[in-house]
Amino acid sequence: IRPKFLTCLSFNIQSLLYHKKDAMADVHNSSGDFPPMEINLNSCLPEELASWLCHHRFENNAIDAASFLLNCTAALPNAEEISAQLMGGANDDEQQEGNGALDTEDETKNVDADDPRSSQVKILRNIINSSALADFANEEEAMEIEVSCISPRGKFFITLYKHGIVLINPKKREEEQIPISPENVERIIFFRKPEDYKKADQMRSRGKSPLGHMVLICLSSNEAIDDSSNGINGITFRNKPLNQVCFQLPPYPSDSSNDSRQFTEEDWWNAFNFSIVSGRKIDIIRVQSKIDAPSYSTNSKENYLFKSAEGGETTTTEGMPFVGCYNNLNDGALFPLPEGLLFFKPPLFIPRSLLASISCGRGSGGSRYVDMIVQLESPSEHENSGIENGKKKKQSSKNTLEFTNIHREELSVLNDYIHN
């Protein structure tokens, strides 16, 4: 998983590479010399390595060189934990005392009614007062289960109640709590990381616990919620609006496991369905694949199964419910769904209501790749869709999204998805 700080770093890398490219051109024009064919990896400077890669390996293509450097950095051991530390994540402070359910009475009294936090404190209190889900509680006290969050990044405890869920940073229990009530949720998506689809069969055959699904919760923005009489408003985290929460569930129990502390996929599905969805107009979506059990939903859309091309050169994704592609500099996977398009790494969901048109192809010639161009409806009509993916709203004015470098073998299955 590419840490969040790499996204910011990518712009610095591109700037460095472009400046070095200009500098190399000046050197060549004046003396006819290029950067040396060999560099010492044990002692070279960052700009020397970047220049060498850009000129000798990527033929002065700064974008390809930057993408390569980002992938190298993301491949470092414990990259996710390093990211959390650099971004001021879950490892900043000593853990505060006290586990179990949160007490919000004193905090509510100390927060001014005009303070943006007051709404969130009320949401938190309403959720906790609704009592814990029976299957996820010890003696009526909500269990705290550790999950690894992608957005926002870090380790959190999740607790489930009858009227919502709460995510708690264990290192900052009082300051960093994310209460999510049904009124704040637009949809929930269950899917696996691309690499986990490939590991699932091997882990089952070895009797190991299957890896848990990713859960993407798409939130309504502040402006989309008008329930101020009940203190319901949009969710913020570290003083910024939160458009989505994405985390990975703990491993599921293996077939031979008797550990009561492990919950199955169906346990989690039922918990979210009861805690968030129950009787409300909220979509809960599950990406189907050939390795998964049948859907728990009676919705016919849940039975849709997209399979990438089989028998071609794309052996790393054939038969999977996604295709490999790039979104800007992000190397990830695109999941075509009846409800819309899901891109992962970083997570981004584009609901069907926002899709004005989709086209797939790339001119003539012998290119190995095609691109998917997605035209969006006017942002003014859908400004609360959550498509911003945590970015500033001014960036949502772009009406086009591009998913590039898709293997040409996928063109047929993608066109089937688009037209059918």
Side-chain angles (χ1 to χ4, degrees):
I1 301 169
R2 178 175 294 107
K4 190 183 296 181
F5 72 90
L6 294 181
T7 304
C8 301
L9 180 62
S10 67
F11 296 103
N12 295 329
I13 292 176
Q14 288 184 68
S15 176
L16 171 65
L17 290 172
Y18 278 119
H19 281 88
K20 296 303 292 183
K21 180 179 177 181
D22 293 339
M24 286 188 291
D26 292 339
V27 170
H28 177 59
N29 292 336
S30 60
S31 64
D33 295 330
F34 287 103
M37 289 297 295
E38 295 184 3
I39 58 174
N40 189 335
L41 293 178
N42 291 322
S43 60
C44 66
L45 298 174
E47 55 266 29
E48 292 174 339
L49 176 60
S51 296
W52 188 92
L53 286 171
C54 186
H55 180 73
H56 293 294
R57 176 163 178 173
F58 295 103
E59 299 179 349
N60 292 333
N61 188 321
I63 295 295
D64 287 349
S67 179
F68 175 80
L69 289 170
L70 289 172
N71 286 326
C72 289
T73 313
L76 290 172
N78 302 319
E80 188 172 342
E81 287 74 12
I82 294 172
S83 170
Q85 293 181 31
L86 294 179
M87 294 298 293
N91 299 321
D92 292 337
D93 297 332
E94 293 296 324
Q95 182 171 350
Q96 298 183 10
E97 294 183 359
N99 293 311
L102 300 175
D103 183 6
T104 62
E105 293 297 330
D106 293 338
E107 186 175 354
T108 305
K109 294 177 183 178
N110 294 330
V111 176
D112 186 80
D114 295 329
D115 192 314
R117 293 180 298 157
S118 62
S119 171
Q120 198 146 314
V121 171
K122 291 177 183 177
I123 298 173
L124 179 63
R125 184 174 58 183
N126 290 341
I127 293 174
I128 294 175
N129 289 343
S130 69
S131 74
L133 288 185
D135 291 340
F136 288 78
N138 288 324
E139 299 180 355
E140 298 185 358
E141 186 173 293
M143 296 173 60
E144 293 186 340
I145 303 171
E146 185 178 277
V147 294
S148 179
C149 275
I150 305 300
S151 176
R153 186 170 295 279
K155 298 289 185 181
F156 285 79
F157 287 150
I158 184 172
T159 53
L160 293 96
Y161 297 86
K162 292 182 179 179
H163 193 70
I165 65 175
V166 180
L167 289 165
I168 310 161
N169 182 345
K171 304 297 183 182
K172 298 182 178 180
R173 298 184 63 87
E174 299 300 326
E175 299 94 335
E176 296 190 354
Q177 305 160 10
I178 305 175
I180 302 175
S181 68
E183 292 82 1
N184 295 106
V185 178
E186 290 189 348
R187 61 186 59 84
I188 302 173
I189 306 173
F190 273 61
F191 67 101
R192 297 182 190 273
K193 287 196 237 180
E195 58 268 28
D196 290 351
Y197 285 99
K198 305 165 190 176
K199 297 176 184 176
D201 286 335
Q202 296 178 355
M203 299 187 73
R204 286 196 181 108
S205 64
R206 297 173 183 174
K208 294 184 178 181
S209 298
L211 296 172
H213 278 76
M214 301 297 300
V215 177
L216 175 62
I217 302 178
C218 300
L219 303 174
S220 303
S221 66
N222 289 13
E223 296 87 347
I225 304 173
D226 185 15
D227 195 5
S228 55
S229 61
N230 292 325
I232 303 300
N233 234 319
I235 301 300
T236 61
F237 182 70
R238 294 177 184 168
N239 298 319
K240 295 181 180 180
L242 200 59
N243 292 314
Q244 63 181 20
V245 173
C246 186
F247 53 86
Q248 184 167 23
L249 297 175
Y252 303 136
S254 63
D255 294 337
S256 58
S257 174
N258 295 318
D259 189 348
S260 60
R261 295 171 298 177
Q262 284 187 300
F263 296 98
T264 66
E265 178 192 350
E266 188 171 5
D267 291 334
W268 284 103
W269 174 277
N270 291 333
F272 284 109
N273 197 52
F274 186 91
S275 184
I276 300 291
V277 177
S278 186
R280 302 176 180 90
K281 293 182 178 181
I282 299 173
D283 292 330
I284 183 164
I285 303 164
R286 178 175 180 257
V287 175
Q288 293 292 99
S289 77
K290 59 185 181 182
I291 67 171
D292 286 320
S295 171
Y296 309 116
S297 172
T298 56
N299 187 340
S300 61
K301 288 183 179 180
E302 293 292 339
N303 297 318
Y304 175 80
L305 174 61
F306 175 86
K307 289 199 303 182
S308 58
E310 298 181 284
E313 296 180 5
T314 56
T315 55
T316 58
T317 64
E318 61 178 354
M320 297 295 178
F322 59 86
V323 296
C325 67
Y326 279 80
N327 179 25
N328 296 321
L329 287 176
N330 300 310
D331 181 7
L334 181 68
F335 296 79
L337 303 170
E339 297 83 0
L341 295 170
L342 170 65
F343 180 83
F344 180 67
K345 210 168 61 171
L348 169 67
F349 181 71
I350 308 148
R352 185 169 181 168
S353 60
L354 272 185
L355 301 177
S357 67
I358 308 176
S359 59
C360 197
R362 182 189 286 183
S364 58
S367 174
R368 295 171 50 199
Y369 302 102
V370 296
D371 303 330
M372 177 182 283
I373 309 299
V374 179
Q375 295 290 338
L376 303 177
E377 297 284 358
S378 171
S380 61
E381 299 175 12
H382 302 275
E383 58 186 9
N384 298 318
S385 68
I387 195 174
E388 294 161 303
N389 191 28
K391 299 177 182 177
K392 295 181 180 178
K393 280 194 171 184
K394 64 182 181 180
Q395 293 177 330
S396 67
S397 60
K398 297 179 180 179
N399 284 358
T400 302
L401 287 175
E402 294 187 16
F403 301 99
T404 61
N405 285 41
I406 303 171
H407 278 272
R408 183 169 289 276
E409 289 88 345
E410 310 290 3
L411 184 58
S412 177
V413 293
L414 287 175
N415 278 328
D416 286 343
Y417 164 76
I418 292 169
H419 298 297
N420 298 326

